Amino acid sequence: MAKIILTGDRPTGRLHLGHFVGSLRRRVELQNSGEFDEIFIMIADAQALTDNADNPEKVRQNIIEVALDYLSVGLDPAKSTLFIQSQVTELCELAFYYMNLVTVQRLQRNPTVKAEIALRGFAEGAAEGDTTQRQGIPVGFFTYPISQASDITAFRATTVPVGEDQEPMIEQTREIVHKFNAVYGETLVEPEILLPENAACMRLPGTDGKAKMSKSLNNCIYLSDTAEEVKKKVMGMYTDPDHLRVEDPGKVEGNTVFTYLDAFSRPEHFSKYLPEYASLDELKAHYRRGGLGDVKVKRLLIAILNEMLKDEYCILEADNGRAALDMVDRYGDELSLVLLDIVMPGISGFEVLAGLSRRSGIDNLPFIMISSEDSDDMVLRAYELGASDYINRPFDSRVVRRRVSNTIRLYAKQRRLTSLLSQQYNERVKNSRMLIDIMAGVMELRNGESGRHVTNIEKLTELLLGCLVQR
């Protein structure tokens, strides 16, 4: 039996550290292990609509966000099949038939369903005007485990790498498989769950110490957060409420900062960032007996997280517009993005854009214009000259950083997809030529002139198409 993985995420927002330790990091490891015949990773937009039906645009916009996060952590479309759930319409059809195999009472007993209903504030019979609860439980959301079973079984997945909180959902899938096979024979494959190896990664708590990191609870550290955002969130993390002074003994159990260190720290981090401690165990022992402050421990976690999430780009600065043109000529494909101001010494940002548009070989290099000029004419002119984005002053540096990062990742994805399409095209051309050669050889055995005629027609057609392309 082929070894197949199926997993995915709902596009309801940016992915966070909970996703990373719960499944993303493991997915990349499994993808690169070579142990599996096929790996399917789904962006579950149809499931996301079950509790976002009033805001479909949110789901639509976040599809690209999730796709970019996938690429940023190392998921490779050449090794894993990334797809959007709603594009495979048969999944919803299969879920409809599976509904006949599951009772309402069984769904009500699913602990994950109960936890998610409470988390989102759904309640039957909520009082009119009660803003703390959402009126009624959507049927689609209630039957979420059935939809998930449809996804897993449709791709005949043998392994599902997920976090600990999804274990009841996989168990429900197994029950559906048993009932279906009992009626229709051995048809569906029973999947196995693959949990994170590190116990601390099974369920990473939020920064507030809550049991789960969740966008709705505003307690997440996102994969795309800047260094300053990470620092701010870690410094506000829940620790031991009884550890009021540095000299007080502290508790490690239930201390969110130490839970994160369990999940992310490695032995080499201590020699690099906190050399007075040989290991995490030594740090914990000092904290337990007192004499170690929370701030020092948090600074270690900040350094570790920022190392893991840091941008891998070097920043080159040009003193004027002409120097910017020279840098593009010099570095070419090594550049990931150019950020331009309209007002620059020497020549303006518009003139730089115009100069770059006349250069060849930089079609895949994005340009972002930044300026205090916000008139429609100025913005339109920037886009007409080839700008990918336009940012107005005054601006929030975090917003600029995010838009720059998104643009770089989007263009990287486009280049990767173009490369894959080019490879597929070249392979088809190669196969077509091989077929023509075989046909020509067969015809030549029958008639010497016919075989040469087929080959000559192929060469003439290729020359004619080349001339048309040049025109």
Side-chain angles (χ1 to χ4, degrees):
M1 180 187 295
K3 297 177 68 176
I4 301 171
I5 282 178
L6 185 285
T7 186
D9 298 280
R10 289 157 34 101
T12 54
R14 295 176 290 160
L15 300 183
H16 50 65
L17 289 181
H19 295 113
F20 182 72
V21 300
S23 59
L24 288 177
R25 181 165 59 184
R26 189 70 170 133
R27 289 178 201 173
V28 176
E29 292 171 356
L30 295 171
Q31 167 194 268
N32 297 331
S33 69
E35 297 178 6
F36 292 86
D37 298 290
E38 291 184 274
I39 298 176
F40 297 98
I41 302 176
M42 175 180 71
I43 300 177
D45 58 335
Q47 289 177 4
L49 281 172
T50 61
D51 60 328
N52 290 280
D54 57 343
N55 192 6
E57 187 60 27
K58 170 188 172 183
V59 176
R60 188 180 297 111
Q61 293 296 328
N62 279 312
I63 289 174
I64 189 66
E65 289 286 344
V66 171
L68 290 171
D69 283 334
Y70 280 168
L71 296 176
S72 72
V73 300
L75 291 173
D76 187 350
K79 299 178 181 178
S80 301
T81 301
L82 310 182
F83 69 99
I84 300 172
Q85 183 187 29
S86 63
Q87 300 300 305
V88 186
T89 56
E90 292 83 357
L91 296 176
C92 290
E93 182 180 354
L94 187 59
F96 176 81
Y97 291 113
Y98 283 174
M99 287 180 187
N100 300 313
L101 304 177
V102 183
T103 66
V104 172
Q105 289 80 5
R106 177 62 184 91
L107 289 173
Q108 289 173 331
R109 292 199 308 271
N110 188 310
T112 301
V113 172
K114 290 193 288 187
E116 293 294 332
I117 287 173
L119 181 65
R120 285 162 177 76
F122 290 128
E124 294 294 347
E128 187 175 348
D130 183 357
T131 58
T132 63
Q133 293 184 314
R134 298 165 70 176
Q135 178 63 52
I137 304 168
V139 173
F141 188 82
F142 184 62
T143 58
Y144 185 99
I146 301 175
S147 173
Q148 197 171 68
S150 167
D151 302 328
I152 294 169
T153 56
F155 288 89
R156 304 184 67 80
T158 56
T159 306
V160 184
V162 290
E164 183 187 33
D165 61 320
Q166 292 297 304
E167 199 160 8
M169 308 292 259
I170 305 304
E171 181 57 36
Q172 187 119 48
T173 297
R174 292 196 195 100
E175 291 177 10
I176 290 173
V177 169
H178 291 160
K179 288 185 178 181
F180 189 95
N181 288 347
V183 176
Y184 300 102
E186 292 298 319
T187 306
L188 303 180
V189 175
E190 184 175 339
E192 294 295 330
I193 189 171
L194 184 62
L195 296 170
E197 295 177 347
N198 185 337
C201 296
M202 287 191 178
R203 182 173 294 190
L204 194 71
T207 55
D208 56 0
K210 297 286 173 118
K212 183 177 181 180
M213 185 176 285
S214 169
K215 292 180 281 286
S216 59
L217 295 176
N218 195 30
N219 62 359
C220 302
I221 295 178
Y222 294 99
L223 300 181
S224 55
D225 276 348
T226 65
E228 282 301 312
E229 288 171 330
V230 170
K231 179 181 178 181
K232 181 179 178 181
K233 291 177 179 180
V234 172
M235 292 306 291
M237 262 187 177
Y238 177 87
T239 56
D240 177 5
D242 297 323
H243 189 246
L244 303 177
R245 298 174 300 176
V246 172
E247 59 268 26
D248 290 340
K251 292 180 182 178
V252 171
E253 296 75 17
N255 188 320
T256 307
V257 177
F258 279 99
T259 302
Y260 277 54
L261 287 173
D262 281 329
F264 297 109
S265 69
R266 300 190 303 271
E268 58 267 28
H269 286 142
F270 291 90
S271 59
K272 186 174 182 180
Y273 299 118
L274 213 57
E276 59 264 43
Y277 298 94
S279 65
L280 180 58
D281 288 338
E282 193 173 306
L283 185 73
K284 287 180 177 180
H286 190 179
Y287 190 82
R288 286 189 176 105
R289 66 176 179 265
L292 177 60
D294 289 322
V295 172
K296 191 170 186 176
V297 181
K298 287 180 176 180
R299 284 175 178 164
L300 171 64
L301 178 58
I302 290 167
I304 292 171
L305 292 180
N306 279 332
E307 177 186 298
M308 184 180 72
L309 300 174
K310 70 180 179 181
D311 289 332
E312 299 295 336
Y313 302 107
C314 294
I315 298 175
L316 302 175
E317 295 186 30
D319 295 330
N320 55 67
R322 296 194 185 282
L325 289 171
D326 292 339
M327 278 189 174
V328 173
D329 290 336
R330 187 182 315 135
Y331 294 102
D333 293 340
E334 296 178 48
L335 297 176
S336 298
L337 180 138
V338 176
L339 189 64
L340 288 170
D341 198 338
I342 290 180
V343 180
M344 302 174 68
I347 59 176
S348 71
F350 284 139
E351 291 174 292
V352 172
L353 269 180
L356 291 171
S357 66
R358 293 191 290 270
R359 284 163 165 74
S360 60
I362 60 168
D363 295 338
N364 291 322
L365 179 61
F367 301 91
I368 293 181
M369 188 68 77
I370 187 165
S371 176
S372 58
E373 296 285 349
D374 60 355
S375 67
D376 292 342
D377 290 340
M378 299 293 272
V379 175
L380 182 60
R381 185 180 177 191
Y383 282 122
E384 287 176 343
L385 287 171
S388 305
D389 198 359
Y390 192 100
I391 301 173
N392 292 117
R393 279 197 177 98
F395 55 78
D396 185 326
S397 61
R398 295 172 300 173
V399 173
V400 174
R401 185 184 182 91
R402 178 64 182 170
R403 287 167 73 169
V404 166
S405 175
N406 282 354
T407 303
I408 290 173
R409 292 158 68 191
L410 180 60
Y411 271 70
K413 177 186 177 184
Q414 289 176 343
R415 285 194 294 271
R416 187 176 296 182
L417 290 175
T418 300
S419 175
L420 288 173
L421 289 172
S422 178
Q423 290 175 14
Q424 292 175 2
Y425 171 77
N426 290 334
E427 188 65 29
R428 288 184 180 181
V429 169
K430 179 182 175 182
N431 292 337
S432 297
R433 285 178 174 167
M434 188 183 299
L435 181 60
I436 290 173
D437 289 341
I438 292 171
M439 291 175 62
V442 171
M443 294 178 72
E444 194 168 3
L445 289 174
R446 291 187 170 186
N447 185 329
E449 292 184 2
S450 297
R452 288 192 297 273
H453 178 68
V454 171
T455 305
N456 291 337
I457 289 294
E458 179 200 2
K459 291 179 179 177
L460 287 171
T461 303
E462 188 174 350
L463 289 171
L464 286 171
L465 288 173
C467 291
L468 290 172
V469 169
Q470 289 178 359
R471 289 185 180 182

